[in-house]
């Protein structure tokens, strides 16, 4: 094997073996849905509105919400607003990067259903 080919093999091996370390292992934040419920908006109850709103939350390393946005509407503005407001007040379990608490985005679907 020529010197150049050996050198390329060593470089490729170093790049491959170092690749996992270059990417941070990220775990998104989470929360206990049982302890964090939104109150059904009165107008939505009267109009029998139902649906699922998909949201994203930026969770700080202390578990509080830094930012939020609706990714997909339930189809009803009142339900979307109520879900964002209620879940933004919830305490989340912070996400992690390389095992340490860190600011991360997490997705949450909130289903509004009438019984």
């Amino acid at each position: 094997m020529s010197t150049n080919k050996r050198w390329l093999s060593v470089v490729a091996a170093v790049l491959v073996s170092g690749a996992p370390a270059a990417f941070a292992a990220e775990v998104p934040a989470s929360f206990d849905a049982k302890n964090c419920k939104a109150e059904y908006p009165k107008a939505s109850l009267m109009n029998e509105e139902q649906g699922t709103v998909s949201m994203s939350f930026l969770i700080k390393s202390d578990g509080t919400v830094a930012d939020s946005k609706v990714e997909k509407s339930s189809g009803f503005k009142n339900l979307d607003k109520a879900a964002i407001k209620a879940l933004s007040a919830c305490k989340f379990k912070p996400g992690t990067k390389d095992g340490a608490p860190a600011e991360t985005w997490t997705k949450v679907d909130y289903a509004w259903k009438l019984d």
Side-chain angles (χ1 to χ4, degrees), residues 53-57 68-72 79-80 82-85 87 105-112:
V53 56
S54 298
M55 303 161 286
S56 289
F57 293 92
S68 61
K69 57 187 171 184
V70 172
E71 296 288 339
K72 184 178 178 201
L79 296 181
D80 296 348
I84 285 281
K85 182 180 177 183
L87 271 61
W105 280 97
T106 191
K107 294 184 184 242
V108 178
D109 289 338
Y110 196 90
W112 296 95

Side-chain angles (χ1 to χ4, degrees):
M1 187 180 247
S2 75
T3 305
N4 285 344
K5 286 185 181 177
R6 254 185 271 142
W7 178 247
L8 288 175
S9 296
V10 171
V11 170
V14 169
L15 288 175
V16 170
S17 66
F23 299 103
E26 186 174 309
V27 177
S30 60
F31 77 106
D32 184 0
K34 294 176 194 164
N35 295 327
C36 191
K37 299 223 183 236
E39 190 174 323
Y40 226 107
K42 289 180 184 178
S44 296
L45 277 172
M46 290 184 345
N47 293 323
E48 298 182 354
E49 297 171 348
Q50 300 183 88
T52 300
V53 56
S54 298
M55 303 161 286
S56 289
F57 293 92
L58 179 60
I59 308 302
K60 295 192 261 183
S61 59
D62 66 358
T64 59
V65 176
D67 195 12
S68 61
K69 57 187 171 184
V70 172
E71 296 288 339
K72 184 178 178 201
S73 174
S74 64
F76 302 98
K77 200 173 211 172
N78 284 341
L79 296 181
D80 296 348
K81 280 194 221 176
I84 285 281
K85 182 180 177 183
L87 271 61
S88 290
C90 293
K91 180 78 170 179
F92 284 71
K93 178 182 175 191
T96 60
K97 287 184 183 171
D98 291 332
E103 188 173 82
T104 59
W105 280 97
T106 191
K107 294 184 184 242
V108 178
D109 289 338
Y110 196 90
W112 296 95
K113 294 179 184 174
L114 296 169
D115 294 329

